[in-house]
Structure formats: C-alpha cells, structure tokens
C-alpha cells in the first residue's frame, strides 16, 4: 500500500483558475513538505510543516497556500494559475525537526499543466 | 548562502566503471547530506546519506566521501550497472536549526552503457 498518497496524479488547468493538490501520508510522520520540480528549477523547496504548523515558506507568491486539516494531511491550494506554475509537485514527510532522523520520503507527485 | 552546486550535469560511464558525482555547499549550518535518485516518471528516493561527523559512508556499491573543510561531498557508484541509469540529486539540510527542508543540487543525469 502506498505510504504517501497524492491526488490527482495529473492535472490540467486553465490560466487564472484555482486548484487544490491533495497529500496524505501514512508513515506516522509529523513533518510534511511541498517541493516543486520543473525543467527550469529541479526540486525546489516550497513549504515545511511540523505538527500542523508552518515552519518555513520559500515561495515568493501568496498564490500558493498550504492547508493542513489533519496531522497527516498537507494540501496545496494554488490560485490565479499561470503557465509558469506548470511543474510536478511533490509532497514529502519525515519525523519532525528536533528528531535525530531527517530522512524525507517523497510521494508520487502531481503533474500540473497550466494552459 | 543556502545553495548546493552539483556537477557534472550529465555523465556517461561503461558498465563496471565507477561513476563519481560531485556536490559543494557554502552554508556551514548544513548538517545532513543525502543523495536521492530519480527514475523517469517516478519520485525521488533516498539512496544514502551522511552527517559531518563522518568523512565516509558506504552502502553496498554506493559510497559518500565528505570533506567538511572544503565543503564538498561526492557520491561514488562502484561497478556501475545499466539499472543505475537515473538522475541523481545531492541535497543538504540544517536540522540543527530546527528546519529539515532540503536544498537540492541541480542533478546529474547518469547513463550506464552495457
């Protein structure tokens, strides 16, 4: 059974629309992350959460908003989509900061295409 | 500056040879250095990782060499196999600051020819 679930696997959106990318992890981790991968910027860190609280935000735009409704969920809402947002978005999880074990496990990704 | 530089961008080796992938960093707060590999259409998966208390970490055919003074680390893949063909990413994190975000290198596309 997959330990990190991302939905949907593929997503096509029109410019200006809004989409939500879903991430659920079943590894018992309390830290979750979002990364973005595109041809221009391979594996770029976006957000980190620990115990459902925002730890770090490296995105320059407020159009990207993480949402954590449960401790094993970290969704990503993207508003006013632009073609430059086209990328594969990976969710990851790990034990929380302060723990001695930092390995991050990545989900399968959501490939977003903005037309 | 929180940046990780990776080279070469692409590397081709023959089956059986040792592939050497290199990374460097500037931020002295980094204290954890993992290597991930990624096959086309898949997500990154952890291969091996090292902390600065060691200058070498081995796991089968994969070895990390770490030079704290020069802020460099490398991945050596011994006896390379065609199945090792993938993109390899080095990364660094500063867990001692309480944030485990990874800063990734740009990746090395490895091709192993049989």
């Amino acid at each position: 059974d997959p330990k990190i679930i991302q939905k949907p696997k593929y997503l096509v959106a029109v410019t200006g629309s809004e989409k939500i990318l879903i991430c659920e992890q079943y590894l018992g981790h309390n830290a979750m992350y979002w990364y973005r991968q595109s041809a221009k910027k391979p594996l770029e860190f976006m957000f980190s959460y620990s115990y459902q609280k925002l730890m770090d935000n490296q995105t320059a735009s407020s159009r990207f908003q993480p949402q954590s409704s449960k401790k094993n969920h970290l969704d990503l809402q993207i508003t006013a989509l632009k073609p430059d947002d086209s990328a594969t978005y990976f969710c990851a999880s790990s034990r929380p900061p302060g723990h001695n074990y930092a390995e991050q496990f990545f989900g399968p990704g959501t490939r977003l295409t903005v037309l | 500056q929180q940046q990780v530089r990776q080279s070469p961008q692409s590397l081709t080796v023959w089956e059986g040879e040792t592939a050497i992938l290199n990374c460097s960093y500037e931020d002295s707060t980094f204290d954890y250095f993992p290597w991930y590999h990624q096959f086309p259409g898949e997500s990154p998966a952890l291969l091996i990782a090292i902390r600065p208390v060691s200058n070498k970490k081995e796991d089968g055919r994969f070895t990390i060499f770490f030079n704290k003074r020069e802020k460099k680390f490398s991945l050596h893949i011994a006896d390379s196999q065609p199945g090792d063909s993938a993109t390899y990413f080095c990364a660094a994190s500063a867990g001692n600051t309480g944030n485990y975000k990874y800063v990734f290198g740009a990746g090395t596309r490895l091709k192993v020819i049989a």
Side-chain angles (χ1 to χ4, degrees):
Chain A
D1 290 336
K3 301 299 185 183
I4 300 181
I5 296 171
Q6 288 190 245
K7 293 183 284 191
K9 186 173 178 62
Y10 301 100
L11 186 57
V12 179
V14 295
T15 297
S17 66
E18 172 183 316
K19 293 295 180 185
I20 295 180
L21 282 56
I22 305 295
C23 178
E24 307 170 13
Q25 56 89 9
Y26 296 93
L27 294 165
H29 292 158
N30 287 300
M32 297 184 71
Y33 312 81
W34 278 101
Y35 291 86
R36 175 170 53 192
Q37 185 176 42
S38 66
K40 294 180 182 178
K41 291 187 179 181
L43 287 171
E44 177 187 21
F45 170 81
M46 299 180 72
F47 298 98
S48 63
Y49 266 64
S50 179
Y51 295 99
Q52 294 186 265
K53 292 185 179 179
L54 179 67
M55 296 289 292
D56 197 354
N57 176 358
Q58 293 289 305
T59 61
S61 171
S62 60
R63 297 186 299 107
F64 296 86
Q65 291 292 328
Q67 300 171 344
S68 181
S69 60
K70 300 178 185 178
K71 70 174 186 179
N72 67 326
H73 282 229
L74 186 63
D75 301 335
L76 181 63
Q77 180 185 39
I78 313 174
T79 58
L81 279 160
K82 302 177 179 180
D84 267 357
D85 297 331
S86 298
T88 298
Y89 291 80
F90 288 105
C91 174
S93 71
S94 74
R95 296 189 189 185
H99 214 280
N100 197 30
Y101 190 63
E103 179 181 355
Q104 291 184 20
F105 296 83
F106 282 73
T110 292
R111 181 177 290 183
L112 172 65
T113 301
V114 183
L115 304 176
Chain B
Q1 185 178 5
Q2 288 208 333
Q3 191 173 1
V4 176
R5 292 184 173 83
Q6 186 170 351
S7 64
Q9 188 174 6
S10 63
L11 177 64
T12 300
V13 299
W14 293 99
E15 182 176 1
E17 291 185 333
T18 297
I20 300 175
L21 291 64
N22 301 297
C23 286
S24 64
Y25 64 98
E26 296 176 3
D27 191 331
S28 298
T29 64
F30 287 147
D31 64 354
Y32 181 71
F33 302 89
W35 282 89
Y36 280 74
H37 62 174
Q38 185 179 29
F39 297 97
E42 297 185 9
S43 57
L46 180 70
L47 195 57
I48 187 173
I50 194 168
R51 296 183 184 275
V53 293
S54 304
N55 56 20
K56 182 180 177 181
K57 176 82 174 287
E58 285 182 271
D59 185 356
R61 296 186 294 109
F62 302 93
T63 303
I64 299 177
F65 291 93
F66 184 81
N67 186 323
K68 187 174 182 179
R69 183 178 61 84
E70 294 187 8
K71 296 182 180 176
K72 293 180 179 179
F73 58 109
S74 61
L75 176 69
H76 292 223
I77 305 174
D79 188 26
S80 296
Q81 302 296 310
D84 295 330
S85 298
T87 300
Y88 291 77
F89 294 96
C90 62
S93 72
N96 57 5
T97 65
N99 189 334
Y100 278 169
K101 73 174 184 184
Y102 283 176
V103 179
F104 281 93
T108 294
R109 187 171 293 181
L110 174 67
K111 183 175 182 181
V112 182
I113 300 174

